[in-house]
Amino acid sequence: MKRTIGMIALCAAFLACSSPAQAARPPKATLKIIIAVKDQPARGATLHCNPDGGNHPNPKAACDLLRQVGGDLNKIHVPKNAACGNEVEPYVVVITGQWHGKKVRWDKGYRNGCAMKAAGGKLLSS
């Protein structure tokens, strides 16, 4: 009986000293994404990568895209085979924050929402 109580006390002491569920590690990327359309209110989202999260609608897919381009937002472009038509409804995207210790400040304009989504995939779609 004394041995059982001793083991319980030892386990309780060990659990009390250990960190609760290992403190969450800070993300290696934290980005704020703002999308503005002419004559409409701007909308925004936060995106954290490694670990993936934030209030972005699809953080894993968005972070996967960023990892594919090494965080270089200048590599995000409209594919040549995108069939987006000639509709003109300008979209402007501004992304700020940090990617693996590097400061990020990027902005780009697109002819319409289709072109923006074709270029940015899950990063820029809602």
Side-chain angles (χ1 to χ4, degrees), residues 17 23 27 33 39 54 105 108 116 120:
C17 292
I33 303 166
D39 299 327
R105 172 73 171 102
K108 178 123 180 162
M116 178 193 70

Side-chain angles (χ1 to χ4, degrees), residues 104-126:
V104 173
R105 172 73 171 102
W106 182 85
D107 59 86
K108 178 123 180 162
Y110 296 94
R111 178 181 194 95
N112 55 40
C114 175
M116 178 193 70
K117 289 175 184 175
K122 292 293 184 184
L123 177 64
L124 302 180
S125 57
S126 49

Side-chain angles (χ1 to χ4, degrees), residues 76-93:
I76 295 176
H77 61 281
V78 180
K80 291 182 176 151
N81 61 351
C84 287
N86 293 323
E87 172 193 354
V88 177
E89 182 182 28
Y91 277 66
V92 175
V93 177

